[in-house]
Amino acid sequence: KQEVTQIPAALSVPEGENLVLNCSFTDSAIYNLQWFRQDPGKGLTSLLLIQSSQREQTSGRLNASLDKSSGRSTLYIAASQPGDSATYLCAVGAAGNKLTFGGGTRVLVKP
Amino acid sequence: DGGITQSPKYLFRKEGQNVTLSCEQNLNHDAMYWYRQDPGQGLRLIYYSQIVNDFQKGDIAEGYSVSREKKESFPLTVTSAQKNPTAFYLCASSFVGGSNYGYTFGSGTRLTVV
């Protein structure tokens, strides 16, 4: 059974610092990996999707890498802003289009 | 604009009552999913459906029921058999059949037992 872990559970950084969020998974037979953002009391917003054949994806200040062999993905957010404060979730996709989620990392960017 | 609509945003249930959460999408997605989110825990899959009139149990299906009579709609009923229903419920949808297909989520329904 796939297990997805995100460490740390919470992270606080000063504005302008780069953010590094980690995601690890136990089964390397994945279809894709998706990073989401969740604001308090809201649904999930998709940030990036990395297909299993890809090593990274970029969108603006966001860059996500994928290393299937080691079971790891990292989300980098450059030059963090207070508006980046949210919970970030990674989810691993497998056969049947089912996603398995990590517990999330709660980020606070201090002005 | 295309998207997923969940209603209501807040729902209160009395003990022993069944309640139904609505989820509608206009993205022409084939598959739809229901997740439950509790504080300090990740999202857990309740039910999913990849085609009309067919659905499968997820990891925590006990005390819940679903139907998929239309491609656009996937309502979730929380029955009185669900002993701890207070949670945030999220509906999602996706295309199927390719690794480049991601999930789109609704804005959620917060259910509280009173």
Side-chain angles (χ1 to χ4, degrees):
Chain A
K1 180 184 175 183
Q2 180 74 271
E3 292 183 2
V4 182
T5 304
Q6 293 184 249
I7 295 174
L11 185 60
S12 179
V13 298
E15 182 178 1
E17 192 166 298
N18 296 333
L19 280 164
V20 180
L21 307 179
N22 298 305
C23 173
S24 62
F25 48 93
T26 55
D27 186 350
S28 61
I30 68 172
Y31 270 27
N32 54 36
L33 186 144
Q34 203 166 354
W35 281 95
F36 294 91
R37 168 186 172 136
Q38 186 177 32
D39 293 293
K42 306 292 186 183
L44 276 64
T45 300
S46 180
L47 298 174
L48 290 168
L49 181 147
I50 312 175
Q51 297 179 60
S52 60
S53 58
Q54 297 174 324
R55 295 297 299 261
E56 67 175 351
Q57 277 287 347
T58 299
S59 176
R61 295 185 293 114
L62 276 60
N63 174 277
S65 65
L66 175 64
D67 184 341
K68 280 202 316 179
S69 61
S70 66
R72 293 180 184 178
S73 177
T74 302
L75 177 67
Y76 299 90
I77 303 178
S80 62
Q81 304 168 358
D84 294 328
S85 298
T87 296
Y88 292 83
L89 296 135
C90 75
V92 173
N97 269 74
K98 290 169 58 178
L99 284 185
T100 302
F101 282 84
T105 295
R106 190 171 67 253
V107 171
L108 175 63
V109 180
K110 298 180 178 180
Chain B
D1 284 340
I4 298 182
T5 302
Q6 289 188 242
S7 62
K9 189 174 177 65
Y10 299 96
L11 188 56
F12 298 90
R13 191 194 94 166
K14 295 181 180 180
E15 295 282 352
Q17 205 177 38
N18 292 355
V19 291
T20 297
L21 284 61
S22 171
C23 179
E24 304 274 336
Q25 55 98 2
N26 61 3
L27 299 165
N28 200 33
H29 283 170
D30 309 294
M32 298 186 74
Y33 314 84
W34 275 105
Y35 284 86
R36 169 179 173 144
Q37 187 176 35
D38 295 280
Q41 296 194 34
L43 276 72
R44 293 182 289 169
L45 182 64
I46 305 172
Y47 269 99
Y48 65 102
S49 167
Q50 296 193 327
I51 193 170
V52 173
N53 292 322
D54 188 47
F55 47 83
Q56 285 75 43
K57 293 181 179 180
D59 301 318
I60 55 165
E62 185 175 350
Y64 299 97
S65 66
V66 294
S67 63
R68 187 88 185 275
E69 297 177 1
K70 298 186 301 181
K71 187 176 184 178
E72 302 79 17
S73 178
F74 192 40
L76 172 73
T77 296
V78 184
T79 75
S80 57
Q82 171 50 238
K83 297 305 178 189
N84 185 22
T86 295
F88 191 50
Y89 291 86
L90 286 159
C91 179
S93 67
S94 74
F95 291 114
V96 298
S99 61
N100 57 329
Y101 296 140
Y103 277 30
T104 300
F105 276 84
S107 57
T109 293
R110 185 165 298 281
L111 174 62
T112 304
V113 173
V114 296

